[in-house]
Amino acid sequence: MRVHVADHPLIAQKVTVLRDERTPSPQFRQLTAELVSLLTYEATRGIRTEKISVTTPVGPADGVALSHPRPLIVPILRAGLGMLQGITDLLPTAEVGFLGIKRDEETLEPHTYANRLPDDLTGRQVYIIDPMLATGGTLIDSIAYVLERGALEVICICLIGAPEGVAAVEAAVGDANVTIVLGSLDSHLNEKGYIVPGLGDAGDRLFGTAN
Ligand code: URA
C-alpha cells in the first residue's frame, strides 16, 4: 500500500478553512469540491491511458485518451457524496457506483446498508472517496469488497486521515495495489473515534444533522 499526503499550499489553505467551525455548509461544500479536484489531480497520476492522435487546425498531434474499462468512482454514503462533484469535474467519463456504510456509534464497527456496484470489476481502477479516514473500518471493508470483485487497483481519496486509520488499512491490505491520498494526516483519534483536530462530523458539516 502507498500513502500520499498532499504537500501543496492551496490544499493546506482549503483544509484550514474546512476545519474552522465557523465555516457554513454552503462554503464547506464548495471548498470540499475544490479540494477534491486538487486531490484528484494527485490521485490520478497513474490513471491508465492509451495513445490516440487528433488533427489540430494545423496538423496531426499525438495525444492520449483514458483507457477502457473506464475508471469507477465509489463514494461511501453519505459523506462521500459531498466529494463526488470535485472528482467528476476532472473525470467526467468515469462511472459511479455507491456503497452505504455506517459506523455503529457504540462499537465503531462499520455496517453495510446499501450497495450499487457492478459484480465484476475486473481490470478496473477504482477511486473510493470518503472524507475522513478515522478508524479505517469503512475503508477496509470497501477496499476488500472491490478487490474481491477483481479491481486492478484501488485509490482512496480522503480529506483528512488519522495515523491509527492509515495503520489499520495498511495492516489489512498488505501489499495489495492500494494507494491512499490524503489532504492532511492529523494527530490522532479521540475516544469517540473522531479525528483530532480534524473538522468534526464531515457528513453533518456537508449536509446538516439529518440522518
Ligand atoms: N467521521 C467524521 O465525520 N469525522 C471524524 O472525525 C471521524 C469520522
Side-chain angles (χ1 to χ4, degrees), residues 55-99:
T55 307
T56 80
V58 182
D62 294 333
V64 296
L66 295 189
S67 298
H68 280 79
R70 288 184 280 164
L72 178 70
I73 300 169
V74 181
I76 307 301
L77 304 178
R78 106 187 128 126
L81 275 186
M83 299 172 72
L84 191 53
Q85 184 199 326
I87 186 167
T88 52
D89 279 352
L90 288 200
L91 294 176
T93 59
E95 289 182 341
V96 181
F98 296 92
L99 266 183

Side-chain angles (χ1 to χ4, degrees), residues 118-135:
D119 281 338
D120 183 8
L121 299 175
T122 305
R124 315 265 320 233
Q125 285 181 307
V126 178
Y127 292 83
I128 296 177
I129 50 176
D130 195 9
M132 309 299 276
L133 169 46
T135 60

Side-chain angles (χ1 to χ4, degrees), residues 103 132 134 189 193-196 198-203:
R103 279 200 308 177
M132 309 299 276
L189 289 182
Y194 277 86
I195 300 175
V196 181
L199 49 72
D201 187 305

